Amino acid sequence: MAEAVLKGVLGSLTSLAATELGSFLAFRGEKEKLESMFTAIKATLEYAEEKQFSDKAIKDWVGKLKDAAYELDDILDECVYEQLLLEEEEEDVRCCVSEMVRSSSLCSFHPKHIYFRYQIAKRMKILSERLDRIATERDQLRLTSMIQEETRGVSEWRQTFSLVNEPKVYGREEDIKTIVEFLAVQLRQCFAYCAIFLKDELIKKQYLIELWIANGFISSDGRLDAEDVGDEVWNELYRRSLFQDIETDQFGKVTSFKMHDLVHDLAQFVADEEICCITDEDCAPVLFERKRIHHLSDHRWNLYSAQLDQLTSLRTYLKRTRSKELSSDVLKCYSLRLLHVNLLEELSSSIGNLKYLTYLNLSRGRFKTLPESLCKLLNLKILKLDYCQSLQKLPDGLVRLKALQQLSLKVCRSLSTLPPYIGKVNSLRSLSMYFVGEQKGFLLSELGLLKLKRDLEIKHLERVKNINDAKESNMSSKQLNNLMLRWRTVREGELEGNDKEVLEALEPCTETLQSLRVEGYQGVSFPQWMSSPFFKNLTSLELWSCTNCIKLPVLRNLPSLKRLQITEAKYVKYVQEECYDNDVGFMGLEYLTLRNLPSLIRLSSEDGENQFPCLSTLDIEDCPHFSLQGLPSLKWLRMSRNPKLKVCPGLECLPCLEDLIIMRCGEVEGLQHMTALKKLALINVSKVSLLQELRFEDLPLLRELHIIGCYSLMRLPTNLSLSRLEA
């Protein structure tokens, strides 16, 4: 851990020295001196870290070195913060100050600049003296110099050590320790940080990667963004059998995982005193006597003070239980980089004093507004406000946060607008929601220069009056995975408006898109790009409330489409309208939902052997004219609010159907032809005479029969063998 901390700090020192502020602070000379001292000490560090677990004096020395590295990290972040302030001031006076004056602003003798330089120089001198003492202690401890080869970078993990091809369970503690010993410095640091979670806790993969990024454990390597690097780190740790019990989403991506208790113990062993989880069963004062706790996960339910005043260099504070307000102790932890608080009812304006914060998670908060002082957090990279359903407004000054890379606003139902000119936050890579407005600063074109990735929901597209605004949003340049395009479903005046032209201009990147939802679109037809076979990764498509649509896109062309949902399209007659001889369509489609389609007749206008060959789940509701056709792979069917379900004898159109749910249907015929049926549910079916007529011996595999709300049913059929049923 110490080596990883030191490596990260030296990288930050080099970066700052190359900036304009670095010149102003005379940082280049100081950088060379500190780098020389740290490098000399680092040469013995690998040996010291191995010996610290058996030698208390060496352990204490390593701890002092880490503390010095963290102090330097604070100084560097203070300088970065000052640089951001100066850039902000320069931008404010851009219109009224000459270029010559602006270029010399950093070299000016403004009192606050001189005072800042004095304070930094003073802290640097104290740190240098501290490092001199640490170097002297190293000599006294006679630590062996072992310069570690720098060959275990991220790009060489697989070349350096390939223990296993697939994850498997190791039965002995020695096996796991062997794996960790071979981990590169960066990997070891990321693994040790996992000790911040409780044993057997289900850990969200994306959440963990965000914590790694915010702590500076991983960053962009020039080839990949930080999140992609984090994904590689996670995959490598998984390959080393350090993670297990993974869960995936509908796209096959890992969403969560667990660690074996033995692996968790090992992570805590590697992390030593730096990382701590505290619960109501722990004695906080005793734990907090460990002065070197830098990362704390607080699971206490009791309402007493956080008691964090002793932890002077706390970097991470995760409050995992409900907290009405932030305690004063937390707001005085000025070294915090990460803060996560659940169910907060009010955020204190003192949050602006935590100026080193790079990660702030206030998800599920109950506040309506946020203090303007939040905009003083100029180092903030990630701001998460998911499920803050009472939040009505964001601070107008949010665009000051030039370092902000992620703004997450999922399910913020009361929020109706973003601060103006969000496009000025050009570091944004993830913006979960955007509200289109009609005034300058709120137009769709604000998205134009943002290099967005991952998920994006755009609301109020009916407000787009100028098609150029839609074109200037540059949607095709954004590497989005999930995209939602929403028009207001209830509109006054013109019916179609410019919906089709706007949708035409919002064509997304074909290479990255995995799911698309279009809602409230009032065009009669869809643009050509929605039928493009180049969407090779598009697996999910939802068309909601496209009420004026007469004809759907040619969806059979989408090669990877697995899930399709169509709702409230009152003129659509077929999911696939055009068929040709030996036409192959919907080869990958597995799940299909059709709701409120009053004109729908069939799935396809013509029968075909190659239509819907993989469809296994079909959910149909309020489609009064719909009739089934041959679906050879269908296993689950729900029919709701349909006047009649009929399966014709000899047709054998549903040979694999195992689970059938019939709800609020007037009449059902032909159940005896569903010979593979295992589960049958009849719910609020008005005509149940079919049960008396049904020969249950024709359904030899039936094991579950549910009858609910069928009040006209007087008795069960005599040929029903109850002993055969399991439910």
Side-chain angles (χ1 to χ4, degrees):
M1 285 286 286
E3 186 172 0
V5 172
L6 203 57
K7 188 175 181 181
V9 170
L10 287 174
S12 299
L13 184 62
T14 301
S15 298
L16 184 62
T19 66
E20 190 176 3
L21 185 66
S23 300
F24 169 63
L25 296 171
F27 238 61
R28 287 187 174 85
E30 200 65 46
K31 174 252 181 184
E32 292 175 1
K33 179 181 178 182
L34 287 172
E35 193 173 47
S36 175
M37 297 174 72
F38 270 122
T39 301
I41 295 171
K42 183 174 179 285
T44 66
L45 192 52
E46 182 178 9
Y47 178 76
E49 287 204 292
E50 290 178 1
K51 293 296 182 183
Q52 65 173 318
F53 302 110
S54 58
D55 190 316
K56 188 175 181 180
I58 293 178
K59 180 179 180 179
D60 184 61
W61 180 83
V62 171
K64 290 178 180 178
L65 180 58
K66 286 187 205 175
D67 291 343
Y70 279 125
E71 172 62 20
L72 178 56
D73 197 34
D74 282 351
I75 294 173
L76 296 178
D77 277 356
E78 180 82 22
C79 293
V80 170
Y81 186 83
E82 183 70 12
Q83 181 181 10
L84 291 170
L85 277 178
L86 290 172
E87 289 174 356
E88 189 176 73
E89 291 176 7
E90 189 175 74
E91 185 175 337
D92 289 342
V93 299
R94 190 176 299 276
C95 298
C96 55
V97 181
S98 70
E99 182 67 30
M100 183 177 296
V101 174
R102 286 204 308 270
S103 64
S104 63
S105 61
L106 286 175
C107 300
S108 68
F109 291 95
H110 193 287
K112 68 177 182 180
H113 295 162
I114 297 173
Y115 180 72
F116 176 77
R117 180 174 180 173
Y118 167 75
Q119 290 293 327
I120 291 297
K122 183 178 178 181
R123 291 174 68 181
M124 283 290 196
K125 180 180 179 182
I126 294 172
L127 182 61
S128 295
E129 293 171 353
R130 188 173 174 182
L131 286 171
D132 282 335
R133 293 193 296 270
I134 290 172
T136 301
E137 287 185 32
R138 175 200 60 188
D139 298 335
Q140 293 172 349
L141 291 169
R142 298 180 180 178
L143 292 172
T144 305
S145 177
M146 295 179 63
I147 300 177
Q148 182 186 20
E149 295 181 6
E150 298 291 337
T151 58
R152 296 188 194 166
V154 174
S155 61
E156 298 180 357
W157 295 334
R158 293 163 185 77
Q159 301 173 21
T160 305
F161 181 67
S162 181
L163 183 67
V164 286
N165 291 324
E166 294 295 333
K168 58 183 178 181
V169 177
Y170 287 78
R172 297 181 302 149
E173 183 176 356
E174 289 78 9
D175 294 328
I176 301 290
K177 283 191 176 181
T178 299
I179 296 171
V180 175
E181 285 176 2
F182 277 94
L183 290 179
V185 171
Q186 186 183 43
L187 287 171
R188 192 181 304 181
Q189 185 180 33
C190 291
F191 168 66
Y193 192 78
C194 295
I196 203 163
F197 300 100
L198 292 174
K199 283 187 176 181
D200 201 42
E201 182 175 347
L202 189 64
I203 305 169
K204 298 293 185 183
K205 177 186 173 183
Q206 181 62 32
Y207 180 52
L208 175 61
I209 291 175
E210 288 172 357
L211 298 184
W212 285 343
I213 294 172
N215 269 296
F217 298 162
I218 54 177
S219 58
S220 173
D221 62 1
R223 180 177 62 92
L224 298 173
D225 283 348
E227 284 193 7
D228 296 325
V229 174
D231 199 56
E232 284 200 356
V233 170
W234 189 94
N235 289 337
E236 189 64 21
L237 294 175
Y238 177 60
R239 272 190 284 269
R240 306 293 176 92
S241 306
L242 299 173
F243 300 148
Q244 63 182 36
D245 298 342
I246 64 169
E247 296 181 358
T248 59
D249 62 12
Q250 64 185 35
F251 309 112
K253 287 186 175 181
V254 175
T255 56
S256 57
F257 65 96
K258 289 186 177 182
M259 292 195 301
H260 190 280
D261 285 354
L262 178 63
V263 175
H264 188 281
D265 289 340
L266 187 59
Q268 187 64 68
F269 177 77
V270 175
D272 195 28
E273 293 185 351
E274 283 197 46
I275 297 174
C276 177
C277 283
I278 185 171
T279 67
D280 286 321
E281 298 176 359
D282 298 312
C283 179
V286 173
L287 275 178
F288 293 168
E289 286 177 1
R290 292 158 42 182
K291 304 290 187 181
R292 292 193 174 116
I293 294 177
H294 296 299
H295 309 283
L296 177 64
S297 181
D298 190 345
H299 295 261
R300 294 174 296 174
W301 285 96
N302 293 340
L303 299 179
Y304 46 69
S305 172
Q307 299 174 309
L308 303 178
D309 53 303
Q310 300 179 61
L311 307 179
T312 56
S313 189
L314 192 65
R315 259 42 182 184
T316 300
Y317 182 66
L318 310 179
K319 180 62 175 174
R320 308 301 298 278
T321 53
R322 181 175 178 177
S323 180
K324 288 187 176 182
E325 60 182 16
L326 277 176
S327 73
S328 57
D329 288 354
V330 175
L331 292 168
K332 292 177 182 176
C333 292
Y334 300 121
S335 291
L336 273 179
R337 267 65 174 178
L338 283 86
L339 178 59
H340 183 179
V341 187
N342 276 322
L343 298 170
L344 196 67
E345 294 188 0
E346 185 178 0
L347 183 63
S348 168
S349 60
S350 298
I351 189 70
N353 296 330
L354 304 180
K355 57 186 178 182
Y356 298 147
L357 272 184
T358 59
Y359 176 98
L360 179 59
N361 192 333
L362 303 173
S363 295
R364 302 186 187 278
R366 301 181 177 182
F367 40 79
K368 293 182 179 180
T369 59
L370 292 168
E372 197 67 33
S373 60
L374 179 74
C375 305
K376 294 167 63 177
L377 304 177
L378 301 184
N379 284 309
L380 199 64
K381 294 181 179 179
I382 298 176
L383 176 59
K384 298 181 76 71
L385 300 167
D386 298 330
Y387 298 95
C388 293
Q389 300 197 46
S390 299
L391 181 62
Q392 299 175 359
K393 188 177 184 297
L394 294 172
D396 287 336
L398 201 70
V399 294
R400 293 179 59 197
L401 305 182
K402 303 300 185 184
L404 194 65
Q405 297 175 9
Q406 181 185 151
L407 176 58
S408 191
L409 302 164
K410 296 176 183 176
V411 197
C412 291
R413 301 190 189 280
S414 301
L415 194 64
S416 59
T417 185
L418 293 185
Y421 301 103
I422 198 69
K424 290 184 177 181
V425 189
N426 53 23
S427 58
L428 265 181
R429 294 295 175 268
S430 179
L431 176 64
S432 61
M433 189 184 301
Y434 183 75
F435 301 88
V436 178
E438 298 179 354
Q439 303 297 322
K440 190 175 181 181
F442 300 94
L443 302 176
L444 188 55
S445 56
E446 283 294 320
L447 299 177
L449 297 178
L450 299 181
K451 299 176 182 179
L452 298 179
K453 300 177 66 175
R454 296 175 58 190
D455 306 343
L456 175 61
E457 176 182 358
I458 304 179
K459 289 187 172 183
H460 294 298
L461 283 167
E462 74 281 355
R463 295 175 180 170
V464 178
K465 304 305 179 185
N466 189 333
I467 300 302
N468 286 330
D469 288 336
K471 293 178 179 178
E472 290 173 9
S473 67
N474 293 325
M475 294 300 293
S476 61
S477 68
K478 307 181 195 311
Q479 297 180 353
L480 298 172
N481 301 129
N482 306 299
L483 176 61
M484 291 180 63
L485 302 174
R486 300 178 64 179
W487 285 257
R488 189 176 178 182
T489 53
V490 179
R491 286 186 255 171
E492 298 179 359
E494 53 188 349
L495 293 177
E496 183 176 356
N498 60 0
D499 289 20
K500 186 172 182 180
E501 290 80 5
V502 171
L503 186 57
E504 180 75 57
L506 295 179
E507 178 179 355
C509 175
T510 58
E511 297 178 1
T512 60
L513 196 67
Q514 295 177 335
S515 75
L516 172 65
R517 174 167 170 167
V518 178
E519 180 177 336
Y521 173 74
Q522 297 299 308
V524 174
S525 60
F526 289 90
Q528 189 63 35
W529 64 258
M530 290 189 65
S531 303
S532 172
F534 295 108
F535 284 103
K536 296 188 181 299
N537 296 307
L538 184 65
T539 61
S540 177
L541 174 63
E542 298 180 24
L543 303 176
W544 281 62
S545 300
C546 300
T547 54
N548 289 340
C549 172
I550 296 176
K551 192 175 180 180
L552 296 175
V554 186
L555 301 177
R556 69 172 185 271
N557 291 342
L558 303 176
S560 301
L561 190 64
K562 290 185 177 182
R563 296 175 180 269
L564 175 60
Q565 182 168 349
I566 305 171
T567 302
E568 295 181 2
K570 58 186 178 182
Y571 301 119
V572 169
K573 294 182 178 181
Y574 304 101
V575 175
Q576 176 170 282
E577 190 157 338
E578 298 177 359
C579 295
Y580 307 95
D581 292 340
N582 299 317
D583 191 16
V584 177
F586 297 95
M587 293 300 292
L589 190 66
E590 299 176 10
Y591 306 93
L592 175 59
T593 300
L594 304 169
R595 292 191 178 134
N596 297 320
L597 306 176
S599 301
L600 186 70
I601 300 173
R602 289 158 52 93
L603 296 183
S604 178
S605 59
E606 298 179 16
D607 291 326
E609 294 182 0
N610 296 323
Q611 304 301 316
F612 307 96
C614 298
L615 186 64
S616 61
T617 300
L618 177 58
D619 189 354
I620 300 176
E621 181 176 335
D622 274 329
C623 301
H625 301 293
F626 178 78
S627 61
L628 284 165
Q629 63 190 81
L631 297 171
S633 300
L634 193 67
K635 293 184 177 182
W636 188 95
L637 171 63
R638 186 180 81 98
M639 297 282 288
S640 177
R641 301 179 189 274
N642 289 66
K644 187 173 184 177
L645 169 63
K646 183 176 182 179
V647 180
C648 301
L651 182 59
E652 297 181 352
C653 65
L654 304 173
C656 296
L657 188 65
E658 298 178 352
D659 196 337
L660 174 61
I661 302 171
I662 303 172
M663 301 177 63
R664 297 180 176 88
C665 289
E667 186 176 352
V668 182
E669 294 181 7
L671 286 179
Q672 67 271 21
H673 302 298
M674 301 180 185
T675 56
L677 207 59
K678 294 180 180 180
K679 299 178 182 180
L680 173 61
L682 300 173
I683 304 171
N684 296 327
V685 178
S686 57
K687 185 177 179 181
V688 292
S689 58
L690 63 99
L691 280 178
Q692 277 77 23
E693 300 168 2
L694 180 62
R695 295 191 309 168
F696 278 88
E697 55 267 25
D698 292 334
L699 305 178
L701 302 179
L702 189 67
R703 293 295 180 268
E704 293 186 22
L705 176 61
H706 302 269
I707 303 174
I708 302 171
C710 300
Y711 300 111
S712 62
L713 179 66
M714 304 303 294
R715 60 182 175 82
L716 293 175
T718 56
N719 63 349
L720 176 60
S721 174
L722 295 178
S723 61
R724 197 180 69 190
L725 298 179
E726 298 174 357

